[in-house]
Amino acid sequence: MDYKSSLIQDGNPMENLEKQLICPICLEMFTKPVVILPCQHNLCRKCACDIFQAANPYWANRGGSVSMSGSRFRCPSCRHEVIMDRHGVYGLQRNLLVENIIDIYKQECCSRPLQKGNHPMCKEHEDEKINIYCLTCEVPTCSMCKVFGIHKACEVAPLQSVFQGQKTELSNCISMLVAGNDRVQTIITQLEDSCRVTEENSHQVKEELSRKFDMLYAILDEKKSELLQRVTREQEEKLSFHEALIQQYRQQLEKSSKLVETAIQSLDEPGGAVFLSGAKQLIRSIVEASKGCQLGKIEQGFENMDYFTLDLEHIADTLRAIDFETGEEEEEFIEEENQEEEESTEGKEEGHQ
């Protein structure tokens, strides 16, 4: 609503201002509170409630128990569809600028002098037109009041000049209010854009953070699998060696058991000639079997797996120290690099000298 241009184009600014303050529903001057729609048109809140209830008969008022977002109605001026949140019409923003202009208009109307026909007439001198303005008392008056009445000692000025001055001042005030409202709306838009950008940036940072931690998890899982495989291979090699030794010792035990059985049977032989014919070979076999007991053995501590111990404390400390980089840390890192480069350059120069 461009109040300033309307006032400038029309010869009677107060009349034109009144036209701008008419509600399109009740056709009366806006009744506070005044709400502004997203399409920038204004309505009395009561009128907005009436058309909203007509368009949404199942939506309860603020005292009801039904709370339903997404209800809608159309602006009576431009037919733009207005979508409500769960607060309904009470969620619409109040247009404080229009409410302030209504207050100014009403104050101006109340301060107008009584008129006779189309000409304002003096209250004290009913036949005298009001044609001057008392600068001392700041009220319009007539020439008789200046010559004989209560404004006799006051400073006065032509009514038209004061009227034009105050009309210009009021127009400037309205323009200032409109400009201030535009600035506030601009700030709101900027803040909303800033909120949106903040949300987008936060989402990107969270995704990047998750990606990096997933990469760390993958590295740890890969390293874990590799180390477990190494332990498993070592375990299988040692168990294979154990099983091979066990098999050898079992074979030796079986062979020795058979020799013992054969020797016992030979001892039971009563005939000397029969005994002596096999005793020599039997004794030789027993001696060789005794020598064969020198099979492979495992070293002391062969079953230990302590050499697969990991010291991860320093890595755990590093992981606990993970944090976001700050500007100060980056500056310190750059300063340290510059200092190292300067020291390296000085060392080379001294070497050449």
Short mmCIF file of all heavy atoms in Angstrom, two decimals, residues 192-246:
data_model
loop_
_atom_site.label_atom_id
_atom_site.label_comp_id
_atom_site.label_asym_id
_atom_site.label_seq_id
_atom_site.Cartn_x
_atom_site.Cartn_y
_atom_site.Cartn_z
N GLU A 192 16.04 -14.43 7.71
CA GLU A 192 15.51 -15.70 7.24
C GLU A 192 16.47 -16.37 6.28
O GLU A 192 16.67 -17.60 6.33
CB GLU A 192 14.15 -15.49 6.57
CG GLU A 192 13.05 -15.11 7.56
CD GLU A 192 11.74 -14.77 6.88
OE1 GLU A 192 11.75 -14.56 5.63
OE2 GLU A 192 10.70 -14.71 7.57
N ASP A 193 17.07 -15.57 5.37
CA ASP A 193 18.07 -16.12 4.46
C ASP A 193 19.27 -16.65 5.23
O ASP A 193 19.83 -17.70 4.89
CB ASP A 193 18.52 -15.05 3.46
CG ASP A 193 17.43 -14.69 2.47
OD1 ASP A 193 16.48 -15.49 2.34
OD2 ASP A 193 17.49 -13.60 1.87
N SER A 194 19.68 -15.90 6.26
CA SER A 194 20.81 -16.34 7.08
C SER A 194 20.49 -17.66 7.78
O SER A 194 21.35 -18.55 7.87
CB SER A 194 21.16 -15.25 8.11
OG SER A 194 22.22 -15.66 8.93
N CYS A 195 19.26 -17.80 8.27
CA CYS A 195 18.85 -19.07 8.91
C CYS A 195 18.92 -20.22 7.91
O CYS A 195 19.41 -21.31 8.24
CB CYS A 195 17.43 -18.94 9.47
SG CYS A 195 17.29 -17.89 10.93
N ARG A 196 18.43 -19.95 6.71
CA ARG A 196 18.44 -21.01 5.69
C ARG A 196 19.86 -21.42 5.33
O ARG A 196 20.19 -22.61 5.26
CB ARG A 196 17.71 -20.52 4.43
CG ARG A 196 17.71 -21.51 3.28
CD ARG A 196 17.00 -20.92 2.07
NE ARG A 196 17.54 -19.63 1.70
CZ ARG A 196 18.67 -19.47 1.01
NH1 ARG A 196 19.37 -20.52 0.63
NH2 ARG A 196 19.11 -18.26 0.71
N VAL A 197 20.74 -20.41 5.14
CA VAL A 197 22.13 -20.71 4.80
C VAL A 197 22.81 -21.45 5.95
O VAL A 197 23.60 -22.37 5.75
CB VAL A 197 22.89 -19.41 4.45
CG1 VAL A 197 24.38 -19.68 4.26
CG2 VAL A 197 22.31 -18.79 3.19
N THR A 198 22.50 -21.03 7.20
CA THR A 198 23.08 -21.71 8.36
C THR A 198 22.67 -23.17 8.40
O THR A 198 23.50 -24.06 8.66
CB THR A 198 22.62 -21.01 9.66
OG1 THR A 198 23.06 -19.63 9.64
CG2 THR A 198 23.22 -21.70 10.88
N GLU A 199 21.39 -23.44 8.12
CA GLU A 199 20.93 -24.83 8.10
C GLU A 199 21.62 -25.63 7.00
O GLU A 199 22.04 -26.77 7.22
CB GLU A 199 19.41 -24.87 7.90
CG GLU A 199 18.62 -24.38 9.11
CD GLU A 199 17.12 -24.43 8.87
OE1 GLU A 199 16.72 -24.68 7.71
OE2 GLU A 199 16.36 -24.22 9.84
N GLU A 200 21.77 -25.02 5.81
CA GLU A 200 22.43 -25.72 4.71
C GLU A 200 23.89 -26.01 5.04
O GLU A 200 24.39 -27.12 4.81
CB GLU A 200 22.32 -24.89 3.43
CG GLU A 200 20.90 -24.78 2.88
CD GLU A 200 20.82 -23.86 1.68
OE1 GLU A 200 21.86 -23.25 1.33
OE2 GLU A 200 19.73 -23.74 1.08
N ASN A 201 24.58 -24.99 5.59
CA ASN A 201 25.99 -25.19 5.94
C ASN A 201 26.15 -26.24 7.03
O ASN A 201 27.08 -27.07 6.98
CB ASN A 201 26.60 -23.87 6.39
CG ASN A 201 26.73 -22.86 5.25
OD1 ASN A 201 26.70 -23.24 4.09
ND2 ASN A 201 26.84 -21.59 5.57
N SER A 202 25.26 -26.22 8.02
CA SER A 202 25.33 -27.22 9.09
C SER A 202 25.11 -28.62 8.53
O SER A 202 25.80 -29.57 8.92
CB SER A 202 24.28 -26.92 10.16
OG SER A 202 24.51 -25.65 10.75
N HIS A 203 24.16 -28.75 7.59
CA HIS A 203 23.91 -30.06 6.99
C HIS A 203 25.14 -30.56 6.23
O HIS A 203 25.51 -31.73 6.33
CB HIS A 203 22.71 -29.94 6.04
CG HIS A 203 22.33 -31.23 5.37
ND1 HIS A 203 21.79 -32.29 6.07
CD2 HIS A 203 22.45 -31.63 4.08
CE1 HIS A 203 21.57 -33.28 5.23
NE2 HIS A 203 21.96 -32.91 4.01
N GLN A 204 25.80 -29.65 5.50
CA GLN A 204 27.01 -30.05 4.76
C GLN A 204 28.13 -30.47 5.70
O GLN A 204 28.82 -31.47 5.47
CB GLN A 204 27.47 -28.89 3.88
CG GLN A 204 26.53 -28.57 2.72
CD GLN A 204 26.97 -27.37 1.92
OE1 GLN A 204 27.98 -26.73 2.23
NE2 GLN A 204 26.21 -27.02 0.90
N VAL A 205 28.31 -29.69 6.79
CA VAL A 205 29.36 -30.03 7.75
C VAL A 205 29.08 -31.37 8.41
O VAL A 205 30.00 -32.19 8.59
CB VAL A 205 29.49 -28.91 8.81
CG1 VAL A 205 30.40 -29.35 9.95
CG2 VAL A 205 30.04 -27.64 8.18
N LYS A 206 27.82 -31.63 8.77
CA LYS A 206 27.47 -32.90 9.39
C LYS A 206 27.74 -34.07 8.44
O LYS A 206 28.25 -35.12 8.85
CB LYS A 206 26.00 -32.89 9.81
CG LYS A 206 25.70 -32.00 11.00
CD LYS A 206 24.21 -32.01 11.33
CE LYS A 206 23.91 -31.10 12.52
NZ LYS A 206 22.46 -31.06 12.82
N GLU A 207 27.38 -33.88 7.16
CA GLU A 207 27.62 -34.94 6.18
C GLU A 207 29.11 -35.21 6.02
O GLU A 207 29.55 -36.36 5.97
CB GLU A 207 27.00 -34.57 4.83
CG GLU A 207 25.49 -34.70 4.79
CD GLU A 207 24.97 -34.54 3.38
OE1 GLU A 207 25.70 -33.99 2.53
OE2 GLU A 207 23.81 -34.96 3.13
N GLU A 208 29.91 -34.13 5.95
CA GLU A 208 31.35 -34.29 5.80
C GLU A 208 31.95 -34.96 7.04
O GLU A 208 32.84 -35.82 6.94
CB GLU A 208 32.00 -32.92 5.56
CG GLU A 208 33.51 -32.94 5.39
CD GLU A 208 33.94 -33.66 4.13
OE1 GLU A 208 33.08 -33.91 3.25
OE2 GLU A 208 35.14 -33.99 4.02
N LEU A 209 31.46 -34.56 8.22
CA LEU A 209 31.95 -35.16 9.46
C LEU A 209 31.62 -36.65 9.51
O LEU A 209 32.48 -37.47 9.87
CB LEU A 209 31.32 -34.43 10.65
CG LEU A 209 31.82 -34.81 12.05
CD1 LEU A 209 33.29 -34.46 12.20
CD2 LEU A 209 31.01 -34.09 13.12
N SER A 210 30.41 -37.00 9.13
CA SER A 210 30.01 -38.41 9.13
C SER A 210 30.86 -39.19 8.13
O SER A 210 31.27 -40.33 8.40
CB SER A 210 28.52 -38.53 8.77
OG SER A 210 27.72 -37.90 9.74
N ARG A 211 31.12 -38.59 6.96
CA ARG A 211 31.93 -39.27 5.95
C ARG A 211 33.34 -39.56 6.47
O ARG A 211 33.87 -40.66 6.29
CB ARG A 211 32.01 -38.42 4.69
CG ARG A 211 32.72 -39.11 3.52
CD ARG A 211 32.92 -38.15 2.37
NE ARG A 211 33.84 -37.07 2.73
CZ ARG A 211 35.16 -37.20 2.73
NH1 ARG A 211 35.73 -38.35 2.41
NH2 ARG A 211 35.92 -36.19 3.06
N LYS A 212 33.94 -38.58 7.14
CA LYS A 212 35.30 -38.77 7.65
C LYS A 212 35.34 -39.82 8.75
O LYS A 212 36.28 -40.63 8.81
CB LYS A 212 35.85 -37.44 8.16
CG LYS A 212 36.14 -36.44 7.04
CD LYS A 212 36.75 -35.15 7.55
CE LYS A 212 37.09 -34.22 6.40
NZ LYS A 212 37.68 -32.96 6.88
N PHE A 213 34.35 -39.81 9.64
CA PHE A 213 34.33 -40.82 10.70
C PHE A 213 34.05 -42.21 10.12
O PHE A 213 34.61 -43.20 10.59
CB PHE A 213 33.29 -40.46 11.76
CG PHE A 213 33.85 -39.62 12.87
CD1 PHE A 213 33.86 -38.23 12.78
CD2 PHE A 213 34.40 -40.20 14.00
CE1 PHE A 213 34.39 -37.45 13.80
CE2 PHE A 213 34.92 -39.43 15.02
CZ PHE A 213 34.93 -38.05 14.92
N ASP A 214 33.20 -42.29 9.10
CA ASP A 214 32.97 -43.58 8.44
C ASP A 214 34.26 -44.09 7.81
O ASP A 214 34.53 -45.30 7.81
CB ASP A 214 31.89 -43.43 7.36
CG ASP A 214 30.51 -43.23 7.96
OD1 ASP A 214 30.34 -43.55 9.16
OD2 ASP A 214 29.61 -42.73 7.26
N MET A 215 35.07 -43.16 7.27
CA MET A 215 36.35 -43.56 6.70
C MET A 215 37.28 -44.10 7.79
O MET A 215 37.98 -45.11 7.58
CB MET A 215 37.01 -42.35 6.01
CG MET A 215 38.33 -42.65 5.32
SD MET A 215 39.01 -41.18 4.51
CE MET A 215 39.30 -40.13 5.92
N LEU A 216 37.27 -43.45 8.97
CA LEU A 216 38.07 -43.96 10.09
C LEU A 216 37.60 -45.34 10.53
O LEU A 216 38.41 -46.24 10.78
CB LEU A 216 37.99 -42.98 11.28
CG LEU A 216 38.81 -41.69 11.18
CD1 LEU A 216 38.55 -40.83 12.40
CD2 LEU A 216 40.29 -41.99 11.06
N TYR A 217 36.27 -45.52 10.61
CA TYR A 217 35.74 -46.83 10.98
C TYR A 217 36.19 -47.89 9.98
O TYR A 217 36.55 -49.01 10.37
CB TYR A 217 34.20 -46.80 11.02
CG TYR A 217 33.62 -45.82 12.00
CD1 TYR A 217 32.37 -45.21 11.76
CD2 TYR A 217 34.29 -45.47 13.17
CE1 TYR A 217 31.83 -44.31 12.66
CE2 TYR A 217 33.75 -44.57 14.07
CZ TYR A 217 32.52 -43.99 13.80
OH TYR A 217 31.97 -43.10 14.68
N ALA A 218 36.16 -47.55 8.68
CA ALA A 218 36.55 -48.51 7.66
C ALA A 218 38.02 -48.89 7.79
O ALA A 218 38.40 -50.06 7.66
CB ALA A 218 36.27 -47.93 6.27
N ILE A 219 38.87 -47.87 8.08
CA ILE A 219 40.31 -48.15 8.25
C ILE A 219 40.53 -49.05 9.46
O ILE A 219 41.31 -50.02 9.41
CB ILE A 219 41.09 -46.83 8.42
CG1 ILE A 219 41.05 -46.03 7.11
CG2 ILE A 219 42.53 -47.09 8.83
CD1 ILE A 219 41.63 -44.64 7.22
N LEU A 220 39.84 -48.77 10.56
CA LEU A 220 39.98 -49.60 11.76
C LEU A 220 39.48 -51.02 11.52
O LEU A 220 40.12 -52.00 11.94
CB LEU A 220 39.20 -48.96 12.92
CG LEU A 220 39.80 -47.66 13.49
CD1 LEU A 220 38.86 -47.05 14.51
CD2 LEU A 220 41.16 -47.91 14.13
N ASP A 221 38.35 -51.15 10.82
CA ASP A 221 37.84 -52.50 10.53
C ASP A 221 38.81 -53.27 9.64
O ASP A 221 39.03 -54.48 9.84
CB ASP A 221 36.47 -52.40 9.85
CG ASP A 221 35.37 -52.01 10.83
OD1 ASP A 221 35.57 -52.22 12.04
OD2 ASP A 221 34.33 -51.49 10.39
N GLU A 222 39.37 -52.57 8.65
CA GLU A 222 40.32 -53.24 7.75
C GLU A 222 41.56 -53.69 8.51
O GLU A 222 42.04 -54.82 8.36
CB GLU A 222 40.70 -52.27 6.62
CG GLU A 222 41.65 -52.87 5.60
CD GLU A 222 42.01 -51.87 4.51
OE1 GLU A 222 41.45 -50.75 4.51
OE2 GLU A 222 42.85 -52.21 3.66
N LYS A 223 42.10 -52.80 9.36
CA LYS A 223 43.29 -53.15 10.14
C LYS A 223 42.97 -54.26 11.14
O LYS A 223 43.79 -55.16 11.37
CB LYS A 223 43.80 -51.90 10.87
CG LYS A 223 45.03 -52.13 11.73
CD LYS A 223 46.20 -52.70 10.92
CE LYS A 223 46.73 -51.71 9.90
NZ LYS A 223 47.97 -52.26 9.25
N LYS A 224 41.81 -54.23 11.73
CA LYS A 224 41.40 -55.28 12.67
C LYS A 224 41.36 -56.64 11.97
O LYS A 224 41.88 -57.64 12.49
CB LYS A 224 40.02 -54.93 13.24
CG LYS A 224 39.42 -56.01 14.13
CD LYS A 224 38.01 -55.61 14.55
CE LYS A 224 37.34 -56.72 15.34
NZ LYS A 224 35.95 -56.37 15.72
N SER A 225 40.75 -56.68 10.78
CA SER A 225 40.68 -57.93 10.02
C SER A 225 42.08 -58.45 9.67
O SER A 225 42.37 -59.64 9.77
CB SER A 225 39.86 -57.73 8.75
OG SER A 225 38.54 -57.35 9.05
N GLU A 226 42.96 -57.53 9.27
CA GLU A 226 44.33 -57.92 8.90
C GLU A 226 45.06 -58.53 10.09
O GLU A 226 45.70 -59.60 9.98
CB GLU A 226 45.08 -56.69 8.38
CG GLU A 226 46.53 -56.96 8.06
CD GLU A 226 47.28 -55.67 7.73
OE1 GLU A 226 46.61 -54.66 7.42
OE2 GLU A 226 48.52 -55.68 7.82
N LEU A 227 44.98 -57.88 11.25
CA LEU A 227 45.69 -58.39 12.43
C LEU A 227 45.09 -59.71 12.92
O LEU A 227 45.81 -60.61 13.34
CB LEU A 227 45.65 -57.33 13.54
CG LEU A 227 46.38 -56.02 13.24
CD1 LEU A 227 46.24 -55.06 14.40
CD2 LEU A 227 47.86 -56.26 12.93
N LEU A 228 43.78 -59.82 12.87
CA LEU A 228 43.15 -61.08 13.26
C LEU A 228 43.57 -62.23 12.35
O LEU A 228 43.78 -63.36 12.81
CB LEU A 228 41.62 -60.93 13.23
CG LEU A 228 41.00 -60.09 14.36
CD1 LEU A 228 39.50 -59.92 14.13
CD2 LEU A 228 41.25 -60.72 15.72
N GLN A 229 43.72 -61.95 11.08
CA GLN A 229 44.18 -62.98 10.14
C GLN A 229 45.60 -63.43 10.46
O GLN A 229 45.93 -64.62 10.39
CB GLN A 229 44.08 -62.47 8.71
CG GLN A 229 42.65 -62.35 8.19
CD GLN A 229 42.59 -61.74 6.81
OE1 GLN A 229 43.63 -61.46 6.20
NE2 GLN A 229 41.38 -61.54 6.31
N ARG A 230 46.45 -62.47 10.83
CA ARG A 230 47.82 -62.82 11.20
C ARG A 230 47.85 -63.72 12.42
O ARG A 230 48.59 -64.70 12.50
CB ARG A 230 48.63 -61.54 11.44
CG ARG A 230 48.99 -60.80 10.16
CD ARG A 230 49.65 -59.48 10.45
NE ARG A 230 50.85 -59.64 11.27
CZ ARG A 230 51.56 -58.62 11.77
NH1 ARG A 230 51.16 -57.37 11.52
NH2 ARG A 230 52.63 -58.84 12.49
N VAL A 231 47.03 -63.37 13.43
CA VAL A 231 46.96 -64.20 14.64
C VAL A 231 46.43 -65.59 14.30
O VAL A 231 46.93 -66.61 14.79
CB VAL A 231 46.08 -63.51 15.71
CG1 VAL A 231 45.89 -64.43 16.92
CG2 VAL A 231 46.70 -62.19 16.17
N THR A 232 45.42 -65.62 13.44
CA THR A 232 44.83 -66.92 13.05
C THR A 232 45.85 -67.79 12.31
O THR A 232 45.94 -69.01 12.57
CB THR A 232 43.60 -66.68 12.17
OG1 THR A 232 42.64 -65.89 12.88
CG2 THR A 232 42.95 -68.00 11.77
N ARG A 233 46.62 -67.19 11.41
CA ARG A 233 47.65 -67.97 10.69
C ARG A 233 48.69 -68.53 11.66
O ARG A 233 49.10 -69.69 11.55
CB ARG A 233 48.33 -67.08 9.64
CG ARG A 233 47.50 -66.86 8.39
CD ARG A 233 48.35 -66.33 7.26
NE ARG A 233 48.99 -65.06 7.60
CZ ARG A 233 48.46 -63.87 7.35
NH1 ARG A 233 47.26 -63.79 6.78
NH2 ARG A 233 49.11 -62.78 7.67
N GLU A 234 49.13 -67.69 12.60
CA GLU A 234 50.11 -68.17 13.58
C GLU A 234 49.51 -69.30 14.43
O GLU A 234 50.18 -70.28 14.75
CB GLU A 234 50.53 -67.00 14.47
CG GLU A 234 51.63 -67.31 15.47
CD GLU A 234 52.98 -67.53 14.82
OE1 GLU A 234 53.12 -67.24 13.60
OE2 GLU A 234 53.89 -68.01 15.50
N GLN A 235 48.26 -69.13 14.82
CA GLN A 235 47.58 -70.17 15.61
C GLN A 235 47.53 -71.48 14.83
O GLN A 235 47.83 -72.55 15.38
CB GLN A 235 46.17 -69.69 15.95
CG GLN A 235 45.30 -70.75 16.61
CD GLN A 235 43.85 -70.29 16.71
OE1 GLN A 235 43.55 -69.13 16.48
NE2 GLN A 235 42.99 -71.20 17.02
N GLU A 236 47.16 -71.42 13.56
CA GLU A 236 47.05 -72.64 12.74
C GLU A 236 48.41 -73.31 12.57
O GLU A 236 48.51 -74.55 12.60
CB GLU A 236 46.45 -72.29 11.39
CG GLU A 236 44.98 -71.90 11.48
CD GLU A 236 44.43 -71.42 10.15
OE1 GLU A 236 45.25 -71.23 9.21
OE2 GLU A 236 43.20 -71.22 10.05
N GLU A 237 49.47 -72.51 12.37
CA GLU A 237 50.80 -73.09 12.22
C GLU A 237 51.24 -73.82 13.49
O GLU A 237 51.77 -74.94 13.45
CB GLU A 237 51.81 -72.00 11.87
CG GLU A 237 51.63 -71.44 10.47
CD GLU A 237 52.59 -70.29 10.18
OE1 GLU A 237 53.42 -69.98 11.09
OE2 GLU A 237 52.51 -69.70 9.09
N LYS A 238 51.01 -73.20 14.64
CA LYS A 238 51.41 -73.83 15.90
C LYS A 238 50.58 -75.08 16.18
O LYS A 238 51.11 -76.11 16.64
CB LYS A 238 51.28 -72.84 17.05
CG LYS A 238 52.33 -71.73 17.01
CD LYS A 238 52.32 -70.91 18.28
CE LYS A 238 53.47 -69.91 18.29
NZ LYS A 238 53.57 -69.19 19.55
N LEU A 239 49.29 -75.01 15.90
CA LEU A 239 48.45 -76.18 16.14
C LEU A 239 48.83 -77.33 15.21
O LEU A 239 48.81 -78.51 15.61
CB LEU A 239 46.98 -75.81 15.95
CG LEU A 239 46.37 -74.87 17.01
CD1 LEU A 239 44.93 -74.54 16.68
CD2 LEU A 239 46.46 -75.49 18.40
N SER A 240 49.19 -76.99 13.98
CA SER A 240 49.63 -78.04 13.04
C SER A 240 50.90 -78.71 13.54
O SER A 240 51.06 -79.94 13.46
CB SER A 240 49.85 -77.44 11.66
OG SER A 240 48.66 -76.92 11.13
N PHE A 241 51.83 -77.88 14.06
CA PHE A 241 53.07 -78.44 14.58
C PHE A 241 52.78 -79.34 15.78
O PHE A 241 53.35 -80.44 15.92
CB PHE A 241 54.01 -77.29 14.98
CG PHE A 241 55.34 -77.75 15.46
CD1 PHE A 241 56.28 -78.27 14.58
CD2 PHE A 241 55.67 -77.69 16.82
CE1 PHE A 241 57.51 -78.69 15.04
CE2 PHE A 241 56.90 -78.11 17.27
CZ PHE A 241 57.83 -78.62 16.38
N HIS A 242 51.87 -78.89 16.68
CA HIS A 242 51.49 -79.71 17.83
C HIS A 242 50.89 -81.04 17.38
O HIS A 242 51.24 -82.12 17.90
CB HIS A 242 50.48 -78.97 18.71
CG HIS A 242 51.09 -77.97 19.64
ND1 HIS A 242 51.25 -76.66 19.30
CD2 HIS A 242 51.59 -78.11 20.90
CE1 HIS A 242 51.80 -76.01 20.31
NE2 HIS A 242 52.04 -76.87 21.30
N GLU A 243 49.98 -80.99 16.45
CA GLU A 243 49.31 -82.20 16.01
C GLU A 243 50.29 -83.18 15.35
O GLU A 243 50.17 -84.41 15.52
CB GLU A 243 48.18 -81.84 15.04
CG GLU A 243 47.02 -81.12 15.73
CD GLU A 243 45.99 -80.62 14.75
OE1 GLU A 243 46.23 -80.77 13.53
OE2 GLU A 243 44.96 -80.07 15.19
N ALA A 244 51.26 -82.64 14.60
CA ALA A 244 52.26 -83.51 13.96
C ALA A 244 53.11 -84.21 15.02
O ALA A 244 53.41 -85.42 14.91
CB ALA A 244 53.14 -82.68 13.02
N LEU A 245 53.52 -83.47 16.06
CA LEU A 245 54.31 -84.08 17.13
C LEU A 245 53.49 -85.14 17.86
O LEU A 245 53.99 -86.22 18.20
CB LEU A 245 54.78 -83.01 18.12
CG LEU A 245 55.98 -82.14 17.68
CD1 LEU A 245 56.30 -81.13 18.76
CD2 LEU A 245 57.20 -83.00 17.39
N ILE A 246 52.24 -84.81 18.12
CA ILE A 246 51.39 -85.78 18.81
C ILE A 246 51.29 -87.09 18.00
O ILE A 246 51.35 -88.20 18.54
CB ILE A 246 50.00 -85.17 19.06
CG1 ILE A 246 50.09 -84.05 20.10
CG2 ILE A 246 49.00 -86.24 19.53
CD1 ILE A 246 48.82 -83.24 20.28
#
